[in-house]
Amino acid sequence: MKQLTDSAVYSMAGGFVFIAYLSAKSYAEKGASAGPAGSSDDYVPIVHVAAAAITFYYVLLFNQSRTAFAEFSAAKKAYREKKFEEKPSLAGLKYGAGNKNILAADRSAGNMNEQLLPFLVGVFMHATFVSVERATKIGWAWIFFRSYYGWAFRKGVPTLFLSTLPAYYCV
């Protein structure tokens, strides 16, 4: 099962990198409109940002399963080595409390889920009414700030604010 969840995470991460590459290549060739979008072609950089954000969301979703299976495997090994008295269950780990790694993966995906729709609406509105170029920069910044949320969550407050506050500002 580990190979399946790993391949899902790495495949989506590869897709994300490919979208980022296409976006950078397109931006280098054509740039982005400094003003509001005037045609459908002006939205290309924003579509790249939206595709990257959605792809990154799937990375986080697959990482939830990957983390749960990894922690379950570690718990089974510890049980076999007599470090735990009670036999672990996947459902108990995945849906129970107490495992900081699973909680961080869950919160990373959950927080992305909570912010994705307002972010997409905001970035498209900004491109439509203000500036495509600025909306593109804000979009990539938001994805960057979301990218290390899991690490920041594990560290706790105030480190968590290094991810959340800039991302909220972008939205």
Side-chain angles (χ1 to χ4, degrees):
M1 190 55 90
K2 182 179 180 333
Q3 292 84 5
L4 180 63
T5 55
D6 284 351
S7 69
V9 170
Y10 298 138
S11 295
M12 292 309 292
F16 174 82
V17 169
F18 181 69
I19 291 167
Y21 166 76
L22 285 179
S23 179
K25 183 178 175 189
S26 173
Y27 191 80
E29 290 172 1
K30 299 175 189 160
S33 172
S39 70
S40 59
D41 288 343
D42 290 342
Y43 285 102
V44 170
I46 301 304
V47 170
H48 287 147
V49 168
I54 292 167
T55 303
F56 185 65
Y57 175 54
Y58 275 93
V59 168
L60 295 176
L61 288 175
F62 288 133
N63 189 54
Q64 273 185 297
S65 293
R66 180 178 163 269
T67 303
F69 283 116
E71 293 297 316
F72 180 58
S73 178
K76 284 192 317 185
K77 182 180 177 186
Y79 174 74
R80 284 192 300 270
E81 294 172 356
K82 308 289 186 212
K83 293 180 182 175
F84 292 136
E85 291 181 21
E86 188 177 328
K87 185 175 182 178
S89 73
L90 180 60
L93 273 172
K94 190 169 182 173
Y95 303 112
N99 189 301
K100 196 167 188 172
N101 292 328
I102 292 175
L103 180 60
D106 288 347
R107 286 309 314 139
S108 294
N111 197 274
M112 182 78 164
N113 185 45
E114 293 162 1
Q115 289 192 21
L116 188 58
L117 184 60
F119 163 73
L120 291 173
V121 170
V123 80
F124 274 94
M125 286 180 63
H126 195 90
T128 301
F129 299 112
V130 182
S131 168
V132 174
E133 183 178 28
R134 195 172 334 147
T136 302
K137 290 176 182 176
I138 290 169
W140 283 110
W142 181 80
I143 294 170
F144 172 74
F145 295 130
R146 297 277 33 116
S147 71
Y148 61 88
Y149 179 85
W151 169 82
F153 185 86
R154 283 184 199 88
K155 295 288 183 187
V157 174
T159 306
L160 182 59
F161 294 142
L162 294 174
S163 173
T164 56
L165 294 179
Y168 293 157
Y169 179 75
C170 289
V171 171

